[in-house]
Amino acid sequence: MKVLHYCQHVLGVGHFFRSLALDQALAPDDVLLVSGGPEAPAPLPKHVRHAPLSPLVMDESFKGFYSPQERDVEAVKTERSRELLRLLEAEMPDLLLIELYPFGRKKFRFELDPLLRAAASTRTKVVCSLRDILVERDDQTKFESRVMEALTGFDMVLVHSDPRVARLEETFPLASNLPCPLEYTGFVSRPGTAGARRAVREELGLGESDRLITASIGGGRVGGYLLRSVLEAFSLLGDRPDYVLRLYCGPFMEEDEYQRLRVRAHGLPRVTAGRFSQRFPDILAASDLSISMAGYNTCMDVLAAGIPALVLPFDANSEQAERAEKLAELGALSVLGSYDLFPEGLAARICEAVTKQRPSHDVDLGGADRSARILRTLAGGE
């Protein structure tokens, strides 16, 4: 089976890494991952080729584009659209897998609608890869109408969720009337490798009684305030020499903010700060507590690691808060509010969480493998 997989990340790296986890599960099938955001630091499996488009990123208001390479945006859009059509013609894939669209990425219709029209004249099956919860819309009726019209060009929608936790109709009421089949896959997670906890802790020189706390904010363009709060809270825990803190600031954090965090971290005992680790699932497996934003990928990685977690929802929309609340109701993690971020309060939450028993849940985290099986069946490969 040959797959052309389109993914556009505009703020963090969650969409990209979830797409990569799906591609990993498609081994040994031939996958061409086409990404349109800033370069993300990730090694590719042998069966995955990468075709990066000239990157486009949404501005802070999410109203328009800019080019990180400072190129003319209209020229970049034209170039990208032509390149996508060229790749479709050159690859002749069995499957065209499109991440999020048409439930999101409306600003990228300039390249996706022509791609879908071209795919319609081929034998290629077209599938939407969709996370669990959609962001709210100003005009829900108009949004739903546009999505339903666009889906007439799709053969299937894959929802990467456990329907016992989150169903699509909760944020898209017309889910039962889609013009193509809908399949729930379970959540897509990235479990650590076998023996990761022992191996990582030995590498870090941690003893059995040491408590490793991992704080992260995904791509790093938002969430710096959480890491600053964690550092100030940790500064109050001098009476806990068994606590070890590692910060991951993200590949997209502004350099000056990153350096300030590094300097503050360097001034505290048992604290280190870095940008990113390609072994992040292994590090979570070795940890005794995760503190993070409440994005899809980090939440699922935490659940796969089976460790206590404190998550802070991003407040620009309700998506992360809804996910965090659902998972908290299952006892899978705990939710932070802005009121928890003052040093004394956060220090207390950390001490409480790090002593908790490892959470128990039956959330379906097999979304990557199940997606691969569904896609192969759709393409006629099984």
Side-chain angles (χ1 to χ4, degrees):
M1 180 175 69
K2 180 178 278 191
V3 180
L4 180 62
H5 190 176
Y6 171 96
C7 172
Q8 170 68 50
H9 52 290
V10 298
L11 183 64
V13 292
H15 292 279
F16 180 82
F17 280 99
R18 183 168 58 253
S19 294
L20 194 55
L22 292 173
D23 293 341
Q24 177 78 51
L26 285 167
D29 290 308
D30 183 8
V31 179
L32 179 64
L33 175 60
V34 181
S35 64
E39 181 180 357
L44 296 178
K46 291 182 179 179
H47 68 285
V48 177
R49 294 171 289 134
H50 188 207
L53 302 173
S54 295
L56 286 174
V57 178
M58 300 297 291
D59 59 29
E60 292 184 1
S61 66
F62 282 84
K63 300 298 184 183
F65 298 120
Y66 71 89
S67 165
Q69 300 170 337
E70 300 184 350
R71 296 180 56 195
D72 177 74
V73 169
E74 291 304 314
V76 172
K77 289 168 66 175
T78 299
E79 174 190 301
R80 285 170 53 118
S81 185
R82 289 174 178 170
E83 178 63 7
L84 279 173
L85 293 174
R86 187 194 69 80
L87 288 171
L88 180 69
E89 182 178 3
E91 294 290 316
M92 291 299 293
D94 301 294
L95 280 171
L96 172 59
L97 186 60
I98 300 181
E99 204 272 335
L100 189 57
Y101 188 78
F103 295 90
R105 301 292 184 262
K106 181 180 73 170
K107 296 289 187 182
F108 292 85
R109 293 180 64 180
F110 71 89
E111 62 187 11
L112 289 172
D113 285 352
L115 181 66
L116 288 167
R117 287 194 294 269
S121 64
T122 71
R123 60 177 177 80
T124 300
K125 301 290 187 181
V126 181
V127 179
C128 169
S129 170
L130 190 64
R131 70 182 177 202
D132 54 343
I133 297 170
L134 305 181
V135 300
E136 64 270 27
R137 303 289 170 167
D138 293 334
D139 189 337
Q140 184 70 18
T141 301
K142 184 178 179 180
F143 165 68
E144 291 173 358
S145 176
R146 178 178 58 78
V147 170
M148 296 293 278
E149 180 181 359
L151 284 176
T152 59
F154 283 73
D155 295 281
M156 182 174 287
V157 173
L158 293 183
V159 181
H160 304 303
S161 175
D162 182 338
R164 299 171 300 173
V165 179
R167 298 186 62 86
L168 181 58
E169 56 261 32
E170 295 173 29
T171 48
F172 191 80
L174 299 182
S176 61
N177 296 316
L178 299 185
C180 63
L182 179 154
E183 294 277 358
Y184 286 96
T185 69
F187 289 106
V188 175
S189 65
R190 303 179 301 162
T193 57
R197 180 173 177 84
R198 175 179 294 181
V200 171
R201 292 179 71 87
E202 286 181 354
E203 289 175 20
L204 298 179
L206 300 178
E208 285 295 324
S209 62
D210 289 321
R211 296 292 176 260
L212 175 59
I213 301 167
T214 297
S216 62
I217 56 170
R221 289 185 67 189
V222 297
Y225 53 92
L226 174 60
L227 297 186
R228 291 193 294 272
S229 298
V230 170
L231 286 173
E232 295 313 309
F234 207 80
S235 71
L236 302 178
L237 298 175
D239 60 340
R240 297 306 307 256
D242 53 329
Y243 285 11
V244 178
L245 175 64
R246 296 180 71 88
L247 265 64
Y248 294 91
C249 303
F252 302 151
M253 176 179 278
E254 294 292 338
E255 182 64 21
D256 57 348
E257 183 177 14
Y258 173 58
Q259 292 301 333
R260 286 195 296 270
L261 282 168
R262 285 193 66 192
V263 168
R264 180 60 176 134
H266 184 71
L268 296 172
R270 308 178 308 283
V271 179
T272 57
R275 278 199 176 271
F276 186 80
S277 173
Q278 295 178 351
R279 301 174 60 199
F280 191 67
D282 286 355
I283 291 166
L284 284 180
S287 300
D288 299 287
L289 174 66
S290 169
I291 307 172
S292 71
M293 305 299 286
Y296 180 107
N297 281 34
T298 304
C299 284
M300 299 314 144
D301 289 350
V302 164
L303 264 62
I307 61 173
L310 299 172
V311 301
L312 177 69
F314 181 44
D315 60 6
N317 52 58
S318 64
E319 171 241 325
Q320 291 197 7
E322 290 180 34
R323 177 181 302 108
E325 289 164 8
K326 289 175 179 293
L327 295 175
E329 289 175 3
L330 297 173
L333 47 72
S334 299
V335 182
L336 293 171
S338 57
Y339 48 81
D340 289 307
L341 298 187
F342 64 94
E344 293 83 0
L346 186 54
R349 291 294 303 269
I350 290 172
C351 291
E352 176 190 17
V354 82
T355 59
K356 281 187 175 181
Q357 293 184 345
R358 295 171 73 88
S360 176
H361 63 80
D362 65 348
V363 177
D364 183 355
L365 300 176
D369 288 339
R370 191 167 294 108
S371 295
R373 293 195 296 270
I374 293 170
L375 292 173
R376 289 190 181 109
T377 299
L378 179 64
E382 287 188 358

